[in-house]
Amino acid sequence: MRKSLAIAAALFSLTAAAKEPKNIILMIGDGMGPAYTSGYRYFADDPTTPVVESTVFDQLLSGMASTYPDEPDTVVTDSAAAATALATGHKTYNGAVGVDRQKVALASIMEIAKRQGKSTGIAVTSQINHATPAAFLAHNENRSNYNAIADAFFDDRVDGQFRADLMFGGGSQYFQRQDRDLVAEFEAQGYHYVHDNAGLAALTALPALGLFADVALPSAIDDKQGPRLAALTAKAATLLAQNDKGFVLLVEGSQIDWAGHDNDIVTAMHEMKDFADAIRWAKDFTESRDDTLLVVTADHSTGGLTLGAAGKYQWRADFLRKVPHSPGVIATRLGQEAEPVKALPALLGFTPAKDETEKLMNAKGEGDEALVKAIKRLIDKRSLTGWTTTGHTAIDVPLFAAGTGKEAFQGLLDNTEIAKRLIALVQPGTQGSEQLVKDKQQ
Ligand SMILES: [Zn+2]
């Protein structure tokens, strides 16, 4: 009895002495405020069962995060400032990529990981030099300097090393330009370049550059070809895990935000599914081993999305599930139809009422932009979806964690605190913020 108690106590202290994770997977749903994760739960629900099934977000929810930037006049952040906070532990001004208000470069978790001998990677559905990944891999005073940021991915090194061993996403138009072919330059430095499903599948070693679109990847709802984010995440983590010293991987569901800006609920829900698929893969990977931490959050919320409108106590996710294409694709296809009114039910996934059809046809007469807008407003009306803005909002975002060390990511944390705690794990024995020495390289 006494002996077995002693063994139990020893086992307990072993498990209690929390092991530090060797690998970190940080996943950011761009624009993914709480209304998006709630909406996705109803959107993903199996209507044949009486319960609302829990999503991967529900299973991993651990807290909330505040997101305000270093701005005198606003508490609403943009993606660049929020990504800089999540990458460096420092707040900055809207538009800043990995620099503070004085335009001084801030060391990112990727740079700190490289100095620790870890491998680093990014997998995103935007162009890889877009604000969020850029804040982890570059320093620039303005997120719009796309070519300069792409150049920096190659030109700027950490102790002679590239900041990322793996980069997956879109953006070949920025990396293969008239004035510079960065793809060829990366290949000359040993990077394996891939640009389609076959190339991705055949990839077995780092370093790697995968550009699967000229700019961003197609919207998930309209993309029948891939690769999608789950495939990019799986390949990235599998390759990065070849390093015995561990890795840091950033994954971004980049276009949830874009659908939010567009006030486009159908496209938003499919982007959420794409991101959830990637998180499910990362959760399984993380929970199948004892050396990996998975943290998921958002940079801010977008659109002021809300579930319920027009004074009714209803939000119709079942209706959204029927819509087969994005409003943009519906509008384009409608324009190609000889008899558009007849084509409407199949294109929309539901039969519009007479007055709804009239509104759509009037909008079609005004041009493509008016038609897309009319389709979106009809879907909002039918699903009872509300929006307050085409910009961002200041509400806190959800925080999720799994795996080794997840206990440190609970409750309400500021976005900078998430970064500080992650950085402290990458460089053990520090308090995170203490060793965020400002780089003087730019
Ligand atoms: Zn945005």
Side-chain angles (χ1 to χ4, degrees):
M1 181 70 180
R2 178 162 287 182
K3 195 175 177 189
S4 68
L5 270 178
I7 290 169
L11 278 174
F12 177 77
S13 67
L14 264 181
T15 31
K19 206 183 147 190
E20 303 239 303
K22 190 171 75 174
N23 310 318
I24 291 173
I25 304 175
L26 173 62
M27 303 181 74
I28 300 175
D30 199 308
M32 189 185 71
Y36 289 81
T37 47
S38 304
Y40 176 69
R41 183 189 307 123
Y42 300 112
F43 179 75
D45 177 46
D46 176 357
T48 64
T49 66
V51 295
V52 179
E53 281 81 11
S54 75
T55 65
V56 71
F57 298 104
D58 300 332
Q59 292 150 23
L60 300 183
L61 183 69
S62 60
M64 299 287 284
S66 50
T67 66
Y68 63 94
D70 178 11
E71 288 281 357
D73 301 323
T74 180
V75 293
V76 180
T77 189
D78 86 323
S79 290
T84 299
L86 287 166
T88 72
H90 289 269
K91 290 199 182 287
T92 187
Y93 62 94
N94 285 342
V97 169
V99 298
D100 68 9
R101 187 159 274 291
Q102 285 70 48
K103 318 270 169 81
V104 176
L106 300 160
S108 81
I109 187 169
M110 296 305 191
E111 293 160 340
I112 293 162
K114 288 308 297 179
R115 292 201 173 103
Q116 297 295 315
K118 291 181 186 289
S119 295
T120 55
I122 58 155
V124 302
T125 56
S126 62
Q127 53 272 43
I128 61 170
N129 51 339
H130 202 255
T132 305
F136 285 76
L137 297 180
H139 308 282
N140 199 293
E141 63 181 53
N142 190 328
R143 59 183 285 175
S144 303
N145 295 331
Y146 283 113
N147 288 348
I149 291 168
D151 288 348
F153 283 13
F154 184 86
D155 294 336
D156 295 351
R157 313 283 168 90
V158 184
D159 299 343
Q161 307 172 82
F162 290 103
R163 289 197 175 92
D165 303 287
L166 179 149
M167 292 168 275
F168 286 163
S172 52
Q173 114 173 6
Y174 304 102
F175 288 80
Q176 292 176 303
R177 312 189 306 255
Q178 289 272 303
D179 64 313
R180 199 165 175 190
D181 186 345
L182 288 160
V183 170
E185 292 185 51
F186 272 114
E187 282 186 303
Q189 296 296 319
Y191 275 71
H192 306 280
Y193 176 63
V194 297
H195 55 84
D196 57 16
N197 284 315
L200 185 70
L203 198 56
T204 55
L206 296 174
L209 173 64
L211 299 176
F212 305 96
D214 289 344
V215 186
L217 267 54
S219 290
I221 186 174
D222 298 323
D223 187 11
K224 305 291 176 256
Q225 190 182 331
R228 295 308 314 175
L229 192 59
L232 300 183
T233 302
K235 179 61 82 170
T238 306
L239 290 178
L240 290 166
Q242 291 172 357
N243 183 347
D244 290 339
K245 290 186 173 170
F247 68 83
V248 177
L249 169 63
L250 167 75
V251 177
E252 186 194 30
S254 315
Q255 299 187 32
I256 301 161
D257 172 67
W258 303 358
H261 282 287
D262 285 347
N263 288 180
D264 177 349
I265 187 62
V266 174
T267 300
M269 286 299 108
H270 283 266
E271 291 302 323
M272 285 297 293
K273 181 188 181 299
D274 196 54
F275 190 46
D277 289 346
I279 297 171
R280 267 201 309 279
W281 190 93
K283 177 178 180 283
D284 289 347
F285 175 88
T286 300
E287 291 177 347
S288 71
R289 38 202 302 153
D290 64 355
D291 60 359
T292 303
L293 168 68
L294 169 64
V295 172
V296 185
T297 191
D299 49 358
H300 53 76
S301 192
T302 304
L305 169 65
T306 195
L307 316 178
K312 293 185 185 164
Y313 287 26
Q314 267 192 334
W315 189 64
R316 299 285 308 276
D318 57 322
F319 172 81
L320 295 176
R321 282 195 290 269
K322 295 182 201 163
V323 182
H325 314 288
S326 68
V329 164
I330 295 170
T332 305
R333 298 245 182 114
L334 209 57
Q336 297 159 348
E337 292 288 340
E339 293 186 273
V341 173
K342 273 192 185 167
L344 265 177
L347 284 172
L348 287 170
F350 64 94
T351 305
K354 200 168 167 235
D355 63 315
E356 292 171 339
T357 303
E358 262 170 35
K359 262 190 192 167
L360 290 176
M361 288 306 117
N362 288 340
K364 186 170 175 289
E366 290 169 34
D368 200 50
E369 202 179 314
L371 178 57
V372 172
K373 198 171 175 185
I375 294 166
K376 288 188 293 192
R377 295 300 75 81
L378 174 58
I379 293 169
D380 285 347
K381 183 186 134 215
R382 286 290 196 112
S383 61
L384 296 151
T385 298
W387 305 95
T388 66
T389 176
T390 53
H392 298 174
T393 60
I395 59 171
D396 294 345
V397 294
L399 174 65
F400 314 87
T404 304
K406 68 177 180 182
E407 297 76 16
F409 298 86
Q410 288 178 357
L412 177 67
L413 297 181
D414 188 64
N415 55 7
T416 54
E417 189 59 31
I418 295 171
K420 286 173 186 171
R421 293 183 186 190
L422 289 173
I423 288 167
L425 292 171
V426 171
Q427 193 169 340
T430 68
Q431 289 299 307
S433 57
E434 283 175 18
Q435 39 69 52
L436 284 172
V437 203
K438 288 172 182 177
D439 258 338
K440 287 264 164 58
Q441 58 193 336
Q442 276 197 338

